[in-house]
Amino acid sequence: MKNLILILAFIFSYSLTFGQGDSTFFFDEFSISLNETNVNDNNTNDGIGFGIGAYHAFSADKKVNLIIGFEYNKTSQFKTIMYEGHFAHSTDLTYYINSVSIPLTVRVNFGNKSKAFVETGPFLDLNIRARKKGTMHTYLPNANNQIEYNEYEFDGKANISNLNYGISFGLGIDIPLSKYKLMIKPEYKFGVTSLYDYGDQIFNRYFRIMIRVKI
């Protein structure tokens, strides 16, 4: 995960250095975000995460822009209990999902100097790493065919689907700042796919607040 963040940081710095020369070939928007999952139910509580991203805006001087990007997002959620097979279950679980996302959105701008905008479109997530942390409870038969109960803390890989997709919708404001623009955008990402479907389901859906800098 550290290597991924270093790669993204390199891409950002490279784009910032050369992007002003010809924005057609380089990222011209960069973001950080804070998210909270929206998956709460009788067995699930929402968690906090973060993200970073780089984007290119086509027809940036027009009222309608096409935005393509590349993001890394980390989300979390809490499960009270999960089925782990015939002889085990887990409790008090926190799931952490790390994903690389490719959003493709349409932005419609309103106003002249400080612009409000609406942005929506599909996204595709590649879940590159997921883990779960909690307490495991096992009920295994011993040599005498008696059930032995064991309980222990664990932190390991979460077996979820590698792909997620859905649609995002956001409202924001674009504020000019000297040679740059500051963009603030609350957004909701609705993941359609169930990433796990074995006794319970896991979805990755979340609200986030994004701060973008536009070159």
Side-chain angles (χ1 to χ4, degrees):
M1 191 54 56
K2 290 181 179 179
N3 291 335
L4 175 63
I5 294 175
L6 287 174
I7 291 170
L8 289 175
F10 173 77
I11 292 172
F12 294 169
S13 62
Y14 184 80
S15 300
L16 281 169
T17 302
F18 297 101
Q20 297 184 48
D22 187 350
S23 62
T24 303
F25 300 102
F26 300 97
F27 295 123
D28 52 14
E29 296 182 10
F30 306 90
S31 76
I32 58 173
S33 63
L34 184 67
N35 66 64
E36 181 177 12
T37 46
N38 180 232
V39 291
N40 188 67
D41 60 30
N42 291 334
N43 192 46
T44 313
N45 290 327
D46 300 323
I48 301 297
F50 67 92
I52 56 176
Y55 315 84
H56 179 73
F58 296 92
S59 302
D61 57 339
K62 306 296 184 181
K63 182 176 180 180
V64 178
N65 318 136
L66 178 65
I67 314 295
I68 189 167
F70 182 80
E71 298 177 346
Y72 162 73
N73 293 296
K74 181 175 183 177
T75 63
S76 66
Q77 56 185 275
F78 178 86
K79 294 282 189 181
T80 303
I81 185 170
M82 293 291 283
Y83 180 68
E84 301 286 352
H86 293 301
F87 301 104
H89 74 275
S90 53
T91 58
D92 300 329
L93 287 159
T94 302
Y95 282 82
Y96 302 95
I97 300 175
N98 299 274
S99 60
V100 172
S101 182
I102 303 174
L104 179 65
T105 59
V106 174
R107 179 188 296 156
V108 181
N109 300 288
F110 303 92
N112 296 316
K113 191 173 182 181
S114 293
K115 297 179 180 179
F117 62 87
V118 175
E119 191 172 326
T120 186
F123 67 86
L124 177 68
D125 283 349
L126 175 63
N127 299 318
I128 55 176
R129 184 170 182 265
R131 66 183 182 92
K132 56 183 179 179
K133 181 179 180 181
T135 304
M136 185 68 70
H137 309 262
T138 61
Y139 309 85
L140 299 174
N142 58 22
N144 298 320
N145 209 27
Q146 295 177 328
I147 300 298
E148 289 187 355
Y149 171 74
N150 288 291
E151 177 181 322
Y152 58 91
E153 303 299 313
F154 75 99
D155 185 350
K157 180 180 178 181
N159 293 316
I160 65 171
S161 173
N162 291 327
L163 291 177
N164 185 30
Y165 60 89
I167 190 166
S168 64
F169 179 80
L171 300 170
I173 186 169
D174 185 340
I175 305 170
L177 294 175
S178 185
K179 296 181 180 180
Y180 305 95
K181 290 184 178 181
L182 178 66
M183 307 174 74
I184 302 173
K185 183 180 71 168
E187 184 179 62
Y188 181 57
K189 293 189 71 173
F190 182 82
V192 174
T193 306
S194 175
L195 306 180
Y196 177 90
D197 198 353
Y198 189 58
D200 198 355
Q201 292 182 308
I202 295 176
F203 291 93
N204 201 17
R205 300 166 177 168
Y206 51 94
F207 292 100
R208 63 179 176 174
I209 180 72
M210 302 181 69
I211 298 177
R212 288 191 190 181
V213 175
K214 180 178 178 65
I215 298 173

